[in-house]
Amino acid sequence: MYVYFMKNQKPLNEELIKEHVEHLKNLKSQGKLVLCGPFSDYPGGMVVYLADNLEEATSIAKADPFISSGCKTFEIRTLELANEENNYLL
């Protein structure tokens, strides 16, 4: 599982926001989107998603219109899921 954190660089417009939402819908239809949203205390947001490897994860992030337009920068992190099923990684 991967997370890309986005940081605002330039103002967004309505068309770009719609393109970003389409990107998210596409990820959802592929079964890759886990969760996403803007931060209320930081100028940016994040997308949590599934990818087979870091190369695919990077391609997905770079395809986000927010990022490809230069309006946001991004940083990817690999997330190891801790939950009841794996005893929270103990």
Side-chain angles (χ1 to χ4, degrees), residues 7-57:
K7 184 175 181 183
N8 297 353
Q9 298 297 309
K10 299 177 187 174
L12 303 173
N13 60 48
E14 187 175 341
E15 181 181 333
L16 193 57
I17 293 168
K18 287 179 181 179
E19 291 173 11
H20 169 70
V21 169
E22 285 304 312
H23 174 72
L24 297 174
K25 287 179 179 180
N26 185 41
L27 290 176
K28 178 71 173 172
S29 72
Q30 295 175 45
K32 293 183 181 288
L33 183 64
V34 177
L35 65 92
C36 59
F39 296 117
S40 60
D41 63 346
Y42 180 82
M46 73 174 198
V47 177
V48 180
Y49 60 110
L50 304 172
D52 292 332
N53 52 50
L54 183 57
E55 183 178 348
E56 180 187 11

Side-chain angles (χ1 to χ4, degrees), residues 3 5 7 11 22 33 41 53 56 61 65 77-79 88-89:
V3 179
F5 296 98
K7 184 175 181 183
E22 285 304 312
L33 183 64
D41 63 346
N53 52 50
E56 180 187 11
R77 293 285 180 238
T78 304
L79 178 65
Y88 300 92
L89 302 175

